[in-house]
């Protein structure tokens, strides 16, 4: 399973990369808006802190298929690398998917709010299909169930696409999709951080280290003991 950061703040991305096994970054126009900076410069800065093989997903903002293709070409020549062109699953977006795939670019179909949209985007040639889990929940649709259903449908038809589940508000939503074996998830740094944090771990390790400190004193580590021999 791939884990991506759904964020555009370079400092937050750098911090998350230090601690977690991350496969790339996803962005969208709202995420870039929140940074309040020139968006192309932000994308270059993100690319610069990512390992070269990491994925970078950038969303197309044009509204006709022809303009989407032109925009995708421009992004490819500007950013290069392991770029994924995010196409919304609008009517024109569906028309653009095979056109952009035919030019050798990788496509992530985004804004998915139903199982059928996910299946159709994969059939049209998208490498990833991105259901918006929390947004579906907000509309009274079970987002985790829809993302799981898309995953199972892709597998049962043998399509070469994976679910890239997006729009999370808590780590429990992510965990259920990990259990279901979806191909990828993308979430904000705070949600990703919550995937590894457990107060019981902190308490257990603190107690063990306190015992060692009582035994050898002065917060000494194994290295200290070895150096002092
Ligand atoms: O990449 C899509 C995702 O970021 C949408 O998330 O938090 O705006 O629902 P959100």
């Amino acid at each position: 399973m791939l884990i991506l950061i759904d964020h555009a703040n370079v400092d937050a991305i750098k911090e998350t990369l230090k601690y977690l096994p991350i496969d790339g970054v996803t962005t969208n126009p709202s995420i870039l808006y929140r940074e309040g900076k020139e968006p192309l410069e932000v994308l270059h800065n993100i690319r610069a802190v990512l390992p070269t093989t990491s994925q970078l997903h950038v969303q197309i903002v044009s509204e006709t298929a022809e303009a989407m293709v032109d925009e995708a070409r421009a992004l490819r020549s500007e950013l290069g690398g392991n770029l994924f062109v995010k196409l919304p699953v609008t009517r024109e977006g569906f028309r653009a998917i095979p056109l952009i795939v035919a030019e050798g670019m990788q496509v992530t179909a985004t804004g998915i709010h139903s199982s059928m949209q996910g299946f159709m985007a994969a059939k049209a040639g998208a490498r990833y299909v991105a259901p918006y889990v929390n947004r579906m929940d907000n509309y009274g649709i079970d987002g985790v169930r829809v993302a799981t259903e898309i995953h199972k449908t892709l597998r049962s038809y043998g399509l070469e696409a994976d679910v890239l589940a997006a729009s999370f508000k808590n780590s429990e939503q992510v965990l259920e999709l990990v259990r279901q074996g979806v191909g990828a998830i993308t979430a904000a740094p705070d949600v990703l951080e919550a995937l590894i944090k457990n107060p019981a771990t902190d308490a257990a390790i603190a107690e063990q280290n306190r015992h060692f400190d009582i035994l050898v004193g002065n917060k000494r580590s194994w290295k200290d003991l070895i150096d002092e021999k």
Side-chain angles (χ1 to χ4, degrees):
M1 178 197 238
L2 301 188
I3 299 185
L4 295 104
I5 307 173
D6 202 24
H7 216 265
N9 182 283
V10 176
D11 292 335
I13 291 169
K14 269 161 75 180
E15 192 65 10
T16 308
L17 288 172
K18 267 194 236 163
Y19 294 99
L20 297 175
I22 296 296
D23 300 289
V25 167
T26 55
T27 62
N28 67 39
S30 301
I31 285 175
L32 290 162
Y33 164 76
R34 285 197 280 275
E35 290 311 298
K37 294 181 183 157
E38 204 285 303
L40 203 49
E41 194 184 317
V42 173
L43 291 179
H44 278 294
N45 291 341
I46 294 172
R47 183 80 266 172
V49 299
L50 283 175
T52 45
T53 55
S54 292
Q55 299 181 0
L56 178 61
H57 296 238
V58 182
Q59 191 162 326
I60 294 295
V61 294
S62 296
E63 289 174 3
T64 65
E66 290 77 12
M68 288 172 174
V69 173
D70 284 345
E71 205 182 328
R73 287 180 187 142
L75 280 172
R76 174 171 57 182
S77 55
E78 177 69 19
L79 295 167
N82 199 0
L83 175 72
F84 284 75
V85 174
K86 283 178 82 180
L87 287 172
V89 288
T90 56
R91 202 154 174 266
E92 287 298 300
F94 269 105
R95 194 154 73 87
I97 293 172
L99 300 177
I100 291 175
V101 169
E103 299 212 4
M105 287 181 261
Q106 314 181 90
V107 167
T108 296
T110 194
I112 290 169
H113 286 76
S114 75
S115 300
M116 208 56 205
Q117 285 178 324
F119 172 70
M120 294 294 267
K123 188 164 160 46
R127 173 65 186 84
Y128 290 107
V129 297
Y132 281 9
V133 174
N134 196 68
R135 286 192 187 226
M136 279 189 268
D137 285 355
N138 291 344
Y139 287 117
I141 305 160
D142 183 341
V144 167
R145 188 188 58 74
V146 170
T148 303
E149 196 171 275
I150 297 171
H151 168 67
K152 290 188 174 153
T153 310
L154 299 184
R155 291 291 80 85
S156 65
Y157 280 98
L159 289 167
E160 284 178 25
D162 279 303
V163 164
L164 165 53
S167 176
F168 292 104
K169 285 296 160 281
N170 61 66
S171 55
E172 187 53 38
Q173 293 167 321
V174 177
L175 180 59
E176 186 50 35
L177 291 172
V178 172
R179 286 191 197 107
Q180 298 296 337
V182 303
I185 64 103
T186 185
D190 60 333
V191 174
L192 295 175
E193 190 68 36
L195 294 175
I196 59 164
K197 197 160 173 52
N198 191 317
T201 300
D202 298 342
I205 301 303
E207 185 192 35
Q208 290 166 351
N209 286 348
R210 192 168 51 77
H211 287 155
F212 196 71
D213 196 37
I214 293 168
L215 183 65
V216 302
N218 281 338
K219 290 266 172 217
R220 287 191 295 165
S221 68
W222 290 109
K223 181 171 183 309
D224 297 319
L225 296 182
I226 292 160
D227 288 348
E228 287 160 16
K229 264 200 330 179

